[in-house]
Amino acid sequence: MRNLVVQKFGGTSVADTDKIKNVANSVIREKKLGNDVVVVVSAMGHTTDYLMKMAKDISEVPSSRELDMLLSTGEGVSIALLSMAIQAQGYDAVSMNAMQIGIITENVHTKARIIDIKTDKLNKYLSEGKIIVVAGFQGVTEDGEITTLGRGGSDTSAVAIASALDAKRCDIYTDVEGVYTTDPRIVPNASKLDVVTYDEMLELASVGANVLHPRSVETAKQFNMPLRVRSSFNLENRGNLIKGEYDDMEICRPVTGVAVDMSKVRIVVCDVPDEPGVAAKIFTTLADEHISVDTIIQSYARLHNNTNDIAFTINKTDLPRAMELFDKINDEIKADKIHIDDNIAKVSIVGAGMIDRPGVAATMFDTLANLNINIKMISTSEVKISCLVDADVANDALRALHKAFNLGCDVIATVKGDLPNI
Ligand code: ADP
Ligand code: ASP
Ligand code: MG
């Protein structure tokens, strides 16, 4: 471990030139504390959404290679401007994109995983005392093709760079003061979690707490990299820490947080033959195209015609490609029809403390029933329960679940211990 901190600033933190100057101040502040600094930045404001919209205006299913060429440009603007802002204050800074560094990813477009990060140039610049400003979200394949890591992926760039450089910490600066029991924009009395474990944060991020990209937490866990989430706009607040384990002997709350995910669409493959190989065909076809599948339900076989339905959820962005694939394989799977439901949301409760604690699922279902909310699908793991509901009632469900599990800041004054110094 060395005296190096990696900082990451998201889109809202670099939304205009004044905010970029503010970020430069935070970077210099860290440098003045005696640390080497590598800064990872996202595209300014809603740039990536805007680029995406232009692509969709031109083609309904744009080529994923060209999408990556387009989307990766956003971060290029931020790194150059931030580097200039740091230099304008008399500090030595250099901007670098993924190609210049060698952030090597697998050969997959729009959701590539990082395989390796070359550290020679980074180390050279650090040894010269430079602050390095790195473009998040982007990568490059061994063959020199530009890739991106998936929406929100700059968090993962930052943690991967911190791990590759053996940094002492990775600080994620964003537009809220840390990770809360739920999205504080939807539930204003959400409580800030002072310390969260990698496992709980991974579950929370995977079910929609998009304050962190799930793969950034996965990488932090793998390399045991302490992650701090804090506000770009209030440096007095030290945010929160995500690390290996709680210091308490036994976790006392059954549920740590609740989340909603509006990014999914449900596909129901209706009336497929109830015979071996059908599910395998559907899911290997999707997997071969790197389409991840979430909750899966297969209905009982209907005895009169020996068919069943297979329902599952995928990301909305993968829907056009998935439909093309279903057209191709339908001769083999013989589905009567494919039903799409895109007005859905997934609400989830997460907590390591729910293991072996009866009644947690019952409380969740009861809370939704009291709001007259119909549950369309349920999936569970040891530390999570998710229900698929109509999108229009999802935020009401979130608020009610947050209340039912006593997560409001009026109920729990302090969540977990003091924030340790690292
Ligand atoms: P950035 O541009 O900095 O990457 P994001 O928009 O990706 O920021 O993530 C920050 C947002 O995450 C917050 O504005 C908040 O609305 C949302 N969010 C969702 N769940 C949570 C949670 N549990 N705690 C904090 N923020 C959350
Ligand atoms: N700019 C990318 C996005 O909007 C990556 C990121 O912000 O993390 O998804
Ligand atoms: Mg983000």
Side-chain angles (χ1 to χ4, degrees):
M1 195 172 68
R2 56 208 266 197
N3 222 14
L4 167 73
V5 172
V6 173
Q7 301 181 310
K8 180 259 170 180
F9 293 86
T12 25
S13 309
V14 292
D16 56 39
T17 46
D18 280 339
K19 293 206 170 98
I20 289 179
K21 289 181 198 164
N22 178 49
V23 166
N25 291 335
S26 308
V27 174
I28 291 168
R29 187 176 183 253
E30 193 67 61
K31 181 81 178 163
K32 280 185 179 159
L33 289 173
N35 293 310
D36 282 339
V37 186
V38 175
V39 200
V40 176
V41 278
S42 298
M44 291 171 71
H46 298 289
T47 303
T48 313
D49 293 333
Y50 175 65
L51 294 170
M52 194 76 181
K53 183 179 174 310
M54 284 200 291
K56 293 276 170 179
D57 282 349
I58 287 186
S59 158
E60 205 184 314
V61 192
S63 134
S64 50
R65 178 187 186 276
E66 301 312 325
L67 255 186
D68 277 352
M69 291 297 282
L70 178 70
L71 298 186
S72 62
T73 61
E75 273 64 15
V77 174
S78 327
I79 53 168
L81 290 175
L82 177 57
S83 195
M84 290 173 199
I86 297 168
Q87 288 167 0
Q89 295 205 42
Y91 283 78
D92 199 0
V94 58
S95 63
M96 294 185 86
N97 64 25
M99 268 212 161
Q100 291 167 310
I101 295 173
I103 300 181
I104 310 297
T105 70
E106 55 183 1
N107 193 5
V108 173
H109 286 293
T110 73
K111 47 183 115 169
R113 281 180 173 267
I114 298 173
I115 300 170
D116 187 25
I117 296 183
K118 311 279 183 219
T119 52
D120 38 349
K121 280 192 202 142
L122 291 169
N123 280 328
K124 177 176 164 290
Y125 284 139
L126 287 173
S127 68
E128 291 166 6
K130 290 186 167 57
I131 294 168
I132 310 176
V133 186
V134 176
F137 181 53
Q138 48 178 257
V140 61
T141 67
E142 298 278 11
D143 300 335
E145 287 293 309
I146 301 287
T147 55
T148 61
L149 311 183
R151 296 304 306 271
S154 297
D155 298 333
T156 299
S157 311
V159 178
I161 288 172
S163 306
L165 290 174
D166 199 21
K168 65 178 175 188
R169 196 177 73 229
C170 181
D171 287 348
I172 308 283
Y173 287 79
T174 184
D175 57 0
V176 285
E177 303 210 335
V179 179
Y180 286 74
T181 45
T182 193
D183 189 337
R185 297 190 193 286
I186 306 175
V187 185
N189 80 333
S191 317
K192 187 149 81 66
L193 296 159
D194 286 342
V195 181
V196 196
T197 63
Y198 293 126
D199 287 333
E200 281 184 310
M201 193 60 234
L202 187 55
E203 288 284 353
L204 270 174
S206 312
V207 294
N210 54 8
V211 59
L212 284 175
H213 194 233
R215 275 161 40 206
S216 69
V217 188
E218 202 176 79
T219 310
K221 181 180 175 188
Q222 187 183 346
F223 292 95
N224 207 15
M225 174 60 58
L227 258 186
R228 206 161 65 155
V229 180
R230 59 187 307 198
S231 165
S232 293
F233 308 110
N234 177 7
L235 295 182
E236 296 316 308
N237 191 317
R238 295 171 62 216
N240 49 21
L241 183 69
I242 298 151
K243 60 171 198 154
E245 275 161 23
Y246 288 130
D247 300 327
D248 316 36
M249 284 182 75
E250 283 243 47
I251 301 155
C252 45
R253 277 166 301 126
V255 173
T256 305
V258 300
V260 62
D261 182 357
M262 301 278 196
S263 69
K264 305 284 178 200
V265 54
R266 177 167 72 155
I267 299 181
V268 188
V269 188
C270 305
D271 277 331
V272 283
D274 184 39
E275 60 189 35
V278 174
K281 181 71 197 171
I282 294 173
F283 296 115
T284 43
T285 305
L286 294 170
D288 287 348
E289 290 291 315
H290 306 279
I291 297 178
S292 318
V293 174
D294 214 35
T295 318
I296 304 175
I297 288 184
Q298 179 176 299
S299 68
Y300 270 135
R302 280 178 283 269
L303 294 176
H304 68 282
N305 62 358
N306 204 31
T307 64
N308 61 32
D309 299 335
I310 299 177
F312 55 92
T313 57
I314 61 171
N315 283 330
K316 280 183 181 149
T317 46
D318 287 327
L319 183 62
R321 183 72 192 123
M323 293 316 286
E324 286 182 350
L325 295 171
F326 276 114
D327 277 347
K328 282 194 191 146
I329 61 169
N330 207 22
D331 279 352
E332 275 176 82
I333 61 169
K334 299 187 183 68
D336 187 41
K337 71 169 193 267
I338 312 278
H339 177 78
I340 308 296
D341 189 356
D342 60 2
N343 187 35
I344 52 142
K346 188 168 73 171
V347 283
S348 307
I349 60 173
V350 170
M354 72 172 72
I355 300 173
D356 271 346
R357 222 181 281 218
V360 176
T363 303
M364 180 174 196
F365 303 149
D366 201 40
T367 305
L368 298 179
N370 287 338
L371 289 177
N372 207 18
I373 292 175
N374 190 33
I375 301 173
K376 297 181 155 192
M377 280 171 123
I378 299 170
S379 67
T380 61
S381 79
E382 270 198 321
V383 294
K384 176 202 81 180
I385 305 172
S386 299
C387 294
L388 211 65
V389 300
D390 280 336
D392 13 329
V393 293
N395 285 351
D396 293 338
L398 191 78
R399 282 186 276 266
L401 290 168
H402 193 262
K403 190 158 190 266
F405 288 102
N406 297 319
L407 296 173
C409 56
D410 42 340
V411 183
I412 32 177
T414 170
V415 179
K416 280 284 166 196
D418 284 334
L419 195 60
N421 261 325
I422 46 168

